[in-house]
Amino acid sequence: MIEFEKFKLENGLTVIVHEDHSTPLVALNILYKVGARNEDESKTGFAHLFEHLMFGGSVNIPDYDNPLQMAGGENNAFTNNDFTNYYLTIPSQNAETAFWLESDRMLSLAFTEKSLEVQRNVVVEEFKQRYLNQPYGDAWLLLRPLAYKVHPYKWATIGKELSHIETATIDDVKAFFKKYYHPSNAILSIAGDISTEKAKELTEKWFTPIPAIHFSKQILPVEPVQKEKRELVVHKAVPSGNIYKAWHCCARSDYDFYATDLLSDVLARGKSSRLYQSLVKEKKVFTEIGAYMLGDLDKSLFLIEGRLTDGIAPADAELELMKELELIKQVPAGEDELQKVKNKTESSLVFGEMNVANKALNLAYFEMLGDASLSNEQAALYNKVTANDIMEVAKKIITPENCSTLYYLSQNN
């Protein structure tokens, strides 16, 4: 149970405070409600580019990392399709340094051609190394536009194509910052060795001067129901073939999320799971296999991906996979099988709340979903799921017409 207090500044900044005096550390987490889903299709990759630009210094603090490190702190950030998150931990006696740094770059990030050029080059290299020049790296660049035809989930966080980052201008990034990086589009969560009163005092001192900006919620296009099987076959210079199958499923805030998530665990969480035992250990048609759902804010994807065993035809491996999926649609998971995955999930939730940085992130994330208190309800919601719930959600989503399949094959296949 994470106890917290929540308040909002006049400029629209939502603030959540959790006291935890077990260690002399304070974590600050700022979640900006902007991800790849908010980008213009002709200018993708900007949310991720901005994650890098935010460390390029502000008008008042040219080097963000130096004062933080001198105060004993450390930081990082990440971007996905739904939001961008910045977090740091710092010794509690230096907590004000964190408030100073985060408020300053929200108010007055420096925009220079030099900073843009440096960070643009970093992102371009990341695009090339992780997505273009790495085996299977471009799988998501191929799979997303196969599964999505309208919704901006059809491009990856890194961007739709490299040229969008290469041609980004200083005016482009200024406009992006002005639109999304302001108090009413952010959630600040503070966890650790600090009193609620002190956290509120420092928040008001450093963030209240940031002016409010009127922000209209963006209306995103709704992805139509998929009514036909989609397939894409590519041959690449990879050691073994992969099969990626994606089915449209519920959004993160939907009731079906918990049953869908546990469905993925029953199928492929660990070496005792159904797909591993049947398709890897016994039939040996795959050397590895995984199942997961993305858990996006809007209607998401449920995925299975498997690495083909050498010499096994993709059609034969896929046939065996579909037999297992049909089985889980007809026969409920056993009591022990279901309890096992519930126990693993609850354990992950508990361990995820053992440090202040994770607690700060969880509070901000669930506040974005609707209410920070949802972070305390997750274990109970998973435990409410029945074997019949899992079977019904499998029937609902695992259908041929709802599936997009990427056959990512070796050039030898």
Side-chain angles (χ1 to χ4, degrees):
M1 175 71 71
I2 306 177
E3 296 182 354
F4 63 90
E5 292 194 29
K6 183 169 63 176
F7 60 93
K8 182 173 283 193
L9 300 185
E10 290 185 3
N11 59 15
L13 179 66
T14 299
V15 187
I16 306 166
V17 184
H18 163 68
E19 292 190 36
D20 178 354
H21 301 286
S22 60
T23 57
L25 293 172
V26 172
L28 256 71
N29 191 101
I30 296 190
L31 184 153
Y32 290 93
K33 291 179 275 187
V34 55
R37 71 204 289 267
N38 304 105
E39 297 165 345
D40 186 296
E41 190 168 357
S42 65
K43 296 178 180 180
T44 64
F46 272 58
H48 177 247
L49 174 63
F50 236 91
E51 175 198 325
H52 289 260
L53 286 170
M54 284 287 278
F55 292 96
S58 68
V59 172
N60 303 308
I61 308 168
D63 185 342
Y64 174 92
D65 286 326
N66 187 53
L68 180 64
Q69 291 169 0
M70 289 181 65
E74 57 184 20
N75 70 92
N76 215 325
F78 64 87
T79 312
N80 59 32
N81 284 73
D82 291 321
F83 64 94
T84 308
N85 196 71
Y86 302 86
Y87 57 98
L88 64 85
T89 56
I90 195 168
S92 50
Q93 67 267 29
N94 296 330
E96 187 163 6
T97 299
F99 287 84
W100 166 59
L101 287 169
E102 291 301 332
S103 64
D104 189 69
R105 64 178 177 176
M106 181 188 287
L107 174 64
S108 53
L109 187 69
F111 294 100
T112 65
E113 291 288 355
K114 180 180 179 181
S115 176
L116 175 58
E117 184 65 21
V118 168
Q119 300 306 329
R120 182 168 49 203
N121 289 338
V122 169
V123 173
V124 165
E125 281 306 305
E126 181 181 345
F127 199 123
K128 291 177 180 178
Q129 290 180 16
R130 292 182 58 188
Y131 296 87
L132 302 182
N133 300 330
Q134 182 170 297
Y136 317 103
D138 62 345
W140 275 105
L141 302 182
L142 300 168
L143 187 56
R144 281 188 177 276
L146 185 65
Y148 289 102
K149 299 304 178 183
V150 174
H151 195 282
Y153 286 158
K154 64 184 174 179
W155 59 82
T157 305
I158 194 69
K160 184 177 179 180
E161 55 186 73
L162 193 58
S163 63
H164 291 180
I165 298 302
E166 291 176 325
T167 59
T169 68
I170 198 74
D171 288 338
D172 290 334
V173 297
K174 283 182 178 180
F176 193 88
F177 181 81
K178 183 178 180 180
K179 186 173 184 179
Y180 295 111
Y181 278 75
H182 51 82
S184 59
N185 199 43
I187 300 166
L188 169 64
S189 54
I190 306 148
D193 186 28
I194 187 170
S195 69
T196 301
E197 293 75 20
K198 185 64 175 178
K200 188 171 185 179
E201 173 193 326
L202 292 176
T203 301
E204 290 176 343
K205 175 181 176 181
W206 290 104
F207 285 90
T208 297
I210 302 174
I213 294 178
H214 175 70
F215 182 70
S216 299
K217 186 176 180 181
Q218 190 174 1
I219 306 299
L220 300 179
V222 176
E223 183 68 21
V225 174
Q226 184 173 330
K227 296 181 179 180
E228 77 290 326
K229 180 172 64 173
R230 299 172 187 163
E231 296 180 347
L232 175 65
V233 181
V234 297
H235 293 267
K236 301 276 186 171
V238 292
S240 302
N242 269 20
I243 295 177
Y244 301 83
K245 298 187 76 68
W247 295 267
H248 291 276
C249 66
C250 65
R252 177 61 181 84
S253 57
D254 291 343
Y255 178 78
D256 277 351
F257 167 81
Y258 302 95
T260 310
D261 197 26
L262 289 178
L263 168 63
S264 72
D265 288 350
V266 169
L267 286 173
R269 185 168 184 172
K271 293 186 176 182
S272 63
S273 63
R274 290 191 178 195
L275 297 187
Y276 185 90
Q277 285 293 311
S278 174
L279 304 182
V280 177
K281 189 174 181 180
E282 296 173 14
K283 297 177 182 176
K284 296 181 171 57
V285 292
F286 293 98
T287 59
E288 56 186 82
I289 195 161
Y292 54 95
M293 69 175 301
L294 298 183
D296 297 312
L297 291 185
D298 292 334
K299 298 295 185 183
S300 192
L301 293 178
F302 179 88
L303 294 113
I304 294 178
E305 58 179 272
R307 181 76 44 90
L308 292 166
T309 300
D310 289 345
I312 298 294
D316 293 339
E318 187 175 21
L319 178 63
E320 296 299 332
L321 169 60
M322 295 313 299
K323 287 179 182 178
E324 290 296 325
L325 296 182
E326 285 303 313
L327 184 62
I328 203 165
K329 291 161 64 175
Q330 304 300 326
V331 181
E335 184 177 339
D336 290 344
E337 186 179 26
L338 180 55
Q339 194 59 52
K340 178 188 68 176
V341 295
K342 285 184 177 181
N343 290 343
K344 287 182 177 180
T345 298
E346 186 168 5
S347 176
S348 297
L349 291 171
V350 171
F351 280 112
E353 294 179 358
M354 291 188 69
N355 68 64
V356 291
N358 283 349
K359 286 192 277 191
L361 170 58
N362 285 341
L363 289 168
Y365 174 75
F366 285 103
E367 180 66 20
M368 176 186 65
L369 286 184
D371 194 324
S373 63
L374 290 169
S375 63
N376 293 321
E377 300 174 15
Q378 297 307 293
L381 290 168
Y382 277 108
N383 281 323
K384 284 176 62 177
V385 174
T386 66
N388 190 63
D389 292 334
I390 293 174
M391 188 170 65
E392 290 303 313
V393 83
K395 290 179 183 178
K396 185 187 300 185
I397 65 175
I398 301 176
T399 64
E401 64 274 11
N402 188 39
C403 186
S404 298
T405 306
L406 170 63
Y407 301 94
Y408 197 111
L409 305 179
S410 169
Q411 292 173 340
N412 297 322
N413 291 117

